Amino acid sequence: MAGAAAAALRALRCLAATFGRCSAPAGSVPPPALRALCPAWRSSQVRSLQLRCVLCAGHNKWSKVKHVKGPKDEARGRMFTKFGMMIKIAVKEGGPNPDMNLNLAHIVEQCRSKNMPKASIEAAIKSAEKAKPTSQHLFEARGPGGCLLLIEVLTDSNARSLQEIKRLLAKNGGMLSDGARNNFNRRGVVLVPGQNIPMEQALELALEAGAEDVQETEDEDEQPLLQFICDMTALKKVRSSLEKLGMQVLSAGLEFVPRTLLPLDQYQLDAASTLIESLNDYPDVVRVWDNIQADG
């Protein structure tokens, strides 16, 4: 009997040691014998596991399609290619010196904000000076749900680009449409973070900085942003004023701002998203502007 009792006690101690090494499930209580053999059970803190229901994500925010995507995987190279095309256009319009070419200066700053290497930026400017002749076009189109699109293209073959743009539009429920440009105004846009800034305060900042309007939007990570919209000639002044007011300027440049926005239902929004992504993937396309309501 004594030998059996000793063996049982050794087994119980071994089991207690096992409990001491392992994390116990939250809320579970050991047998009294184990509590006596393993006092650490009561004093040790056990991290509980909280189970929560998974929240299904809704439709991707429109800004993820509308704006240049962040540097993730293959999107990084595509984004840098688009920036290179924007640099070519800016150099063609105003020369290669950022100090004398305000639009180029703003684009260079956007490149830096997206961590584009300085050597790549300088190489893009130099290649823009020596590049073979290219032409810039702005195609007007209509997409799913009647949304209006402006497709900015930089190409060395007008016929090739026109044919491919037509094909992509037809494949994804769109078509070329003269007059779409009339629904857009060329404006300066200054982008700043929008965390903890209510719209009432944003409007006061816009008024003080000399901007015409301010709009709420989001970046590709769904972080709130504020767009301060102004006349093209006032872009530098508005930017400088916002910085003096303590705002962090993420980017500043010229954009096509829609006069009126068009809300789309979920089906139309998905179709428009597919169309715009297809257009942006075409190498000759620099940017696609739209009049789609962000909360559509």
Side-chain angles (χ1 to χ4, degrees):
M1 290 293 292
L9 184 58
R10 284 196 300 270
L12 195 57
R13 285 174 176 169
C14 182
L15 186 60
T18 302
F19 266 89
R21 290 193 301 267
C22 303
S23 296
S28 64
V29 179
L34 293 184
R35 292 202 299 272
L37 292 170
C38 187
W41 179 278
R42 292 191 299 269
S43 60
S44 62
Q45 294 182 350
V46 180
R47 180 183 177 185
S48 62
L49 176 64
Q50 297 181 353
L51 300 179
R52 301 179 182 177
C53 61
V54 178
L55 300 178
C56 297
H59 185 276
N60 288 339
K61 297 297 181 181
W62 188 244
S63 57
K64 290 185 179 181
V65 176
K66 188 174 181 180
H67 297 297
V68 177
K69 295 180 180 179
K72 298 176 182 178
D73 302 328
E74 72 281 355
R76 180 184 178 90
R78 188 164 60 242
M79 177 186 65
F80 288 171
T81 299
K82 299 296 184 183
F83 275 136
M85 297 172 71
M86 292 163 63
I87 288 174
K88 283 185 179 181
I89 293 175
V91 169
K92 181 180 178 182
E93 293 177 343
N97 187 353
D99 294 332
M100 303 296 294
N101 186 340
L102 184 59
N103 190 30
L104 177 60
H106 291 316
I107 294 172
V108 167
E109 184 168 347
Q110 291 181 49
C111 294
R112 290 171 179 164
S113 70
K114 294 296 184 179
N115 298 318
M116 186 173 180
K118 180 180 179 180
S120 299
I121 298 173
E122 294 175 349
I125 295 176
K126 289 180 180 179
S127 65
E129 296 180 82
K130 303 175 182 178
K132 60 181 179 180
T134 55
S135 56
Q136 180 183 359
H137 292 278
L138 194 67
F139 293 107
E140 303 170 83
R142 188 176 297 272
C147 66
L148 300 178
L149 307 175
L150 296 182
I151 308 165
E152 189 176 6
V153 171
L154 186 66
T155 180
D156 57 1
S157 174
N158 298 339
R160 181 196 66 219
S161 296
L162 177 59
Q163 181 179 359
E164 183 62 14
I165 294 297
K166 284 183 176 180
R167 187 189 71 80
L168 291 172
L169 287 170
K171 180 181 178 181
N172 295 283
M175 65 180 71
L176 292 177
S177 177
D178 292 337
R181 171 68 177 83
N182 296 330
N183 191 61
F184 294 83
N185 291 321
R186 190 72 161 164
R187 287 288 183 268
V189 177
V190 182
L191 202 64
V192 305
Q195 290 94 339
N196 304 319
I197 301 180
M199 181 50 68
E200 182 178 351
Q201 182 183 351
L203 289 171
E204 292 176 357
L205 288 170
L207 188 63
E208 191 169 351
E212 299 173 353
D213 192 13
V214 59
Q215 297 177 0
E216 294 176 309
T217 185
E218 291 181 335
D219 63 13
E220 61 269 12
D221 296 320
E222 300 186 11
Q223 296 301 310
L225 301 173
L226 292 173
Q227 290 180 316
F228 290 86
I229 301 172
C230 63
D231 187 85
M232 291 188 294
T233 59
L235 179 61
K236 186 175 182 180
K237 173 182 175 297
V238 171
R239 178 200 173 125
S240 177
S241 298
L242 288 172
E243 288 177 334
K244 289 178 180 178
L245 292 171
M247 304 300 294
Q248 175 192 358
V249 174
L250 299 176
S251 67
L254 303 179
E255 298 187 12
F256 284 102
V257 178
R259 294 180 179 178
T260 57
L261 295 173
L262 178 68
L264 301 180
D265 61 34
Q266 189 65 52
Y267 176 81
Q268 294 168 338
L269 194 61
D270 289 339
S273 173
T274 299
L275 170 58
I276 292 179
E277 286 178 345
S278 298
L279 290 168
N280 276 320
D281 285 341
Y282 180 49
D284 289 356
V285 171
V286 182
R287 284 171 291 191
V288 179
W289 314 93
D290 67 79
N291 73 329
I292 298 172
Q293 185 170 310
D295 297 328

